[in-house]
Amino acid sequence: MEKPLTQHIRADRQPLTLKEYEMAGGYQSLRKVIKAMTPKAVIDLVKESNLRGRGGAGFNTGLKWSFVPADSTTPKYLIANADEMEPGTFKDRILLECTPHQLIEGMILASYAIGANISYIYLRWAYKTAAHALTKALEEAKAAGYLGQNILGSGFNLEMHLHTGAGRYMCGEETALLNSLEGKRATPRAKPPFPQISGLFGRPTIVNNVETLCCLPHILMNGPDWFKDLSRTSDAGTKIYGVSGRVKKPGAWELPMGITMRELIEEYAGGMQDGLRFRGALPGGASTDFLVEEHLDVKLDYTSVAAAGSRLGTGTLVILDDKTCPVGFVKNLEHFFAQESCGYCTPCREGLPWVEKILESIDLGKGRMEDLQLLAFHTKYLGPGNTFCAFAPGAMEPLQSALKYFREDFEKHIHEKVCPYERETLSVLR
Amino acid sequence: MLTTEEKNEIDHAISLVPVRKAAGIDALKIVQEHRRWISDESLRDIAAYMDMSPEELDSVATFYNLIFRKPVGRHIILLCDSISCWVMGYENILQDLSTKLGIKYGETTTDGRYTLLPNCCLGTCDCAPALMIDDDLYRNLTTDQLDYILAKYD
């Protein structure tokens, strides 16, 4: 089984030095592309490979790039979104900490394709080890002539800077990230214009996720057919999947796109901890709908997970077991969303704290049956089309699916006026 | 007054962006690194240096979770309170930590040693529960490790 993104990661998880990365074939893709391919050819090849954005949206990367005006003479920007902050998600951390040069090479290739001469890595503040690894790798890449003026004698110039954030989930949203890089509050921007036309400082800009960018050197070296063949489904490539929660061996693994949830949990995460049963999972972070037992054989790719009523998102599963309270679980998620809402539009700013309060009442045994209707109302009122960005609709995904799949738990809290799980949840420690 | 060292670091951040204001968040972070928090006086000085009004800069400063507009202790404890850590029982860690230090979220110990804050997902969910103290990450936490961890900081 091929694992292009992670195969060279050292056992001690120390970052690969430039020398080690080059020994493993690093920067060969850049050498090949920068001599032999036009930017247009790079875009076409990536489009054909069917690489889809690994940050969660799953949009075709080459297609996204193709909206950048090729003939524009204004500065253009390429940004790596390394603000990994989706609860339950820990995949980009591995790539950032262990193979910083792979990201840098991917960013140079993406910049070359769209004609960007300035690039930023937007890294979340909490990732200190990654900041360290990236700072060193950027110095090495610059000294080796992979960054700066006239890269490898091609005439292509690229500056790359590391920018660390100041802590806010919204910064991961593409247009909010741009505002944050401009020194503003991280509130989202209206689209159109899309960032590809008017992004950072009003210039054409591409924002790509870390894992997406890390795929590029391999796709351009080995071709689109090789990339498609890595996958078990129509969505190409490998995917870094993760599992957290009360399983025997939580962790992250690079696997063929389209592995099933059952395989991931049973074969890689070692199955549920003794005495616990699988009840459900968020397939790709806090803002995805629950999948439940009947979905265990769903293939974890963008298309199949969408068909099952959820989203692949970041591909890192958070597991709900049968001794953990689903109401408490969702309350924790909505507390997060209420707190991290940027406050820019009213339904999100006012609606989410309301949702959290209702869930808290139910969790404490003070709920009323009408509260369930109120929650259902919010899942529509904060849903797609009613808010400025995808934040609130994302927040409603786990809630609407919890109301559907775990309704009896909500009702039990209300009827018995107490959380039937409380003691169990509090006594759990590994 | 900003020190020469602070100004030099802010100038470097400004050199990386095409618009001076764009380095405003970096300027806040730089000054906070030196002074631990951003007082009203610091805020006014930074704003003047960035060609911004204090109000504009404050709107940015108060937006971000990790810019501190109130005094904090010598060490910041960021306890992850997101979903995977919740499932794995971070509330027990919170309870113990809170009892040991005699503080709740947002408070600082009387000796000025620690400030305790909740934090969104630290991105280490396979090793939950987790917390950070300053730049150090602690994972797979159990309550019996807390004394050992806390003793490292003075």
Side-chain angles (χ1 to χ4, degrees):
Chain A
M1 183 162 50
E2 287 190 82
K3 300 181 177 185
L5 302 190
T6 57
Q7 65 176 337
H8 297 296
I9 287 179
R10 296 162 50 130
D12 62 4
R13 294 206 21 168
Q14 290 296 305
L16 287 189
T17 62
L18 175 62
K19 208 167 177 186
E20 287 168 326
Y21 183 64
E22 285 175 328
M23 294 276 284
Y27 290 109
Q28 286 304 319
S29 187
L30 176 65
R31 285 176 190 281
K32 177 181 150 183
V33 166
I34 218 161
K35 280 200 191 100
M37 289 178 81
T38 63
K40 168 91 172 44
V42 176
I43 294 175
D44 289 343
L45 191 149
V46 171
K47 207 191 283 179
E48 198 200 326
S49 78
N50 197 21
L51 170 64
R52 298 178 66 169
R54 304 297 198 236
F59 195 77
N60 182 300
T61 303
L63 189 60
K64 184 175 185 179
W65 292 353
S66 70
F67 301 137
V68 174
D71 48 359
S72 146
T73 51
T74 64
K76 296 176 206 168
Y77 296 100
L78 183 277
I79 297 162
N81 186 347
D83 193 54
E84 182 168 70
M85 215 166 160
E86 179 73 27
T89 302
F90 52 101
K91 64 181 184 72
D92 294 338
R93 179 196 273 274
I94 300 165
L95 297 169
L96 291 162
E97 289 180 356
C98 304
T99 62
H101 280 291
Q102 182 171 243
L103 172 65
I104 293 170
E105 187 178 6
M107 289 178 71
I108 303 171
L109 289 164
S111 301
Y112 177 74
I114 62 162
N117 299 116
I118 304 174
S119 56
Y120 295 96
I121 303 170
Y122 191 105
L123 182 72
R124 73 174 292 199
W125 190 358
Y127 280 13
K128 302 288 182 182
T129 312
H132 215 71
L134 286 165
T135 304
K136 182 161 173 266
L138 284 170
E139 282 166 14
E140 287 178 328
K142 210 172 164 187
Y146 294 125
L147 289 172
Q149 300 291 308
N150 191 22
I151 294 167
L152 301 171
S154 64
F156 176 64
N157 308 325
L158 181 65
E159 280 176 42
M160 194 177 287
H161 307 293
L162 177 64
H163 176 97
T164 44
R168 199 69 200 248
Y169 173 71
M170 266 311 289
C171 298
E173 199 274 343
E174 190 169 72
T175 60
L177 183 152
L178 298 176
N179 277 340
S180 179
L181 262 181
E182 291 182 10
K184 300 171 184 163
R185 292 164 74 93
T187 51
R189 295 179 181 175
K191 292 189 271 193
F194 286 87
Q196 291 94 321
I197 308 294
S198 175
L200 188 62
F201 304 112
R203 310 294 192 183
T205 304
I206 285 290
V207 182
N208 283 145
N209 167 262
V210 168
E211 189 185 350
T212 310
L213 289 162
C214 286
C215 290
L216 296 172
H218 309 286
I219 293 173
L220 289 159
M221 195 69 197
N222 302 310
D225 291 334
W226 167 85
F227 191 65
K228 287 181 192 164
D229 285 346
L230 292 174
S231 161
R232 290 193 191 170
T233 71
S234 58
D235 292 337
T238 59
K239 177 79 194 76
I240 302 184
Y241 292 105
V243 179
S244 67
R246 294 161 80 182
V247 291
K248 286 200 179 108
K249 290 187 295 179
W253 308 270
E254 184 183 6
L255 297 166
M257 178 72 81
I259 190 159
T260 67
M261 188 153 75
R262 189 190 299 280
E263 280 175 281
L264 184 61
I265 295 168
E266 287 175 7
E267 287 172 34
Y268 294 91
M272 299 301 295
Q273 286 183 11
D274 293 334
L276 298 177
R277 271 190 53 233
F278 173 87
R279 190 104 196 272
L282 305 175
S287 40
T288 55
D289 281 277
F290 278 97
L291 294 181
V292 293
E293 216 170 344
E294 66 188 80
H295 302 119
L296 276 169
D297 293 309
V298 167
K299 290 184 168 136
L300 294 171
D301 64 44
Y302 299 97
T303 317
S304 313
V305 178
S310 183
R311 292 188 302 120
L312 178 62
T314 57
T316 41
L317 270 63
V318 185
I319 308 284
L320 170 70
D321 58 76
D322 66 336
K323 298 216 170 126
T324 296
C325 174
V327 177
F329 192 105
V330 177
K331 189 193 81 175
N332 176 279
L333 297 173
E334 299 307 330
H335 167 72
F336 162 81
F337 286 116
Q339 187 176 268
E340 289 297 314
S341 167
C342 77
Y344 195 60
C345 68
T346 313
C348 182
R349 182 185 62 235
E350 305 299 324
L352 288 170
W354 194 2
V355 166
E356 186 195 349
K357 277 181 192 150
I358 298 169
L359 287 167
E360 176 146 32
S361 301
I362 298 174
D363 195 37
L364 292 170
K366 295 176 186 166
R368 307 161 306 170
M369 282 309 278
E370 307 92 271
D371 289 338
L372 297 182
Q373 281 151 19
L374 258 180
L375 289 175
F377 162 78
H378 277 85
T379 63
K380 301 286 177 284
Y381 192 63
L382 303 191
N386 292 336
T387 59
F388 209 79
C389 76
F391 181 101
M396 291 302 100
E397 290 179 22
L399 176 62
Q400 70 192 9
S401 46
L403 288 170
K404 177 173 161 194
Y405 296 123
F406 311 123
R407 194 174 181 89
E408 75 275 23
D409 285 281
F410 285 86
E411 290 176 356
K412 208 168 171 193
H413 279 74
I414 295 167
H415 294 318
E416 297 180 5
K417 300 192 189 314
V418 67
C419 171
Y421 293 85
E422 205 157 14
R423 215 166 283 162
E424 287 282 357
T425 306
L426 269 177
S427 66
V428 177
L429 261 192
R430 222 186 314 154
Chain B
M1 285 286 288
L2 297 177
T3 65
T4 312
E5 200 185 351
E6 286 166 341
K7 283 182 184 167
N8 288 342
E9 290 175 39
I10 294 172
D11 287 344
H12 174 70
I14 292 170
S15 76
L16 301 179
V17 284
V19 181
R20 194 177 182 87
K21 267 193 206 176
I25 300 168
D26 299 276
L28 288 164
K29 280 161 61 187
I30 287 163
V31 173
Q32 181 167 291
E33 190 71 29
H34 288 280
R35 309 178 185 191
R36 296 214 298 262
W37 68 292
I38 304 294
S39 66
D40 289 351
E41 196 194 339
S42 303
L43 185 93
R44 276 194 292 270
D45 291 343
I46 303 165
Y49 197 71
M50 300 308 293
D51 294 335
M52 293 168 85
S53 71
E55 292 75 15
E56 187 182 7
L57 187 65
D58 203 17
S59 79
V60 173
T62 53
F63 185 85
Y64 292 95
N65 298 336
L66 296 172
I67 300 294
F68 306 130
R69 287 285 279 115
K70 287 181 187 170
V72 290
R74 294 190 295 281
H75 306 286
I76 311 283
I77 304 177
L78 298 174
L79 180 63
C80 178
D81 66 352
S82 290
I83 191 62
S84 306
C85 285
W86 179 80
V87 171
M88 300 310 289
Y90 93 85
E91 285 169 321
N92 290 336
I93 305 284
L94 172 62
Q95 210 170 345
D96 262 43
L97 209 47
S98 207
T99 312
K100 276 184 206 300
L101 299 175
I103 51 173
K104 294 193 288 252
Y105 277 150
E107 294 177 348
T108 301
T109 52
T110 46
D111 59 1
R113 194 170 168 195
Y114 291 111
T115 297
L116 177 63
L117 297 171
N119 201 79
C120 298
C121 186
L122 288 171
T124 184
C125 321
D126 53 339
C127 303
L131 62 75
M132 278 181 87
I133 302 184
D134 303 335
D135 288 358
D136 307 325
L137 177 66
Y138 296 93
R139 332 187 208 206
N140 290 317
L141 281 173
T142 53
T143 46
D144 53 16
Q145 296 165 355
L146 291 176
D147 284 335
Y148 169 77
I149 293 171
L150 292 172
K152 292 190 194 175
Y153 302 86
D154 51 32

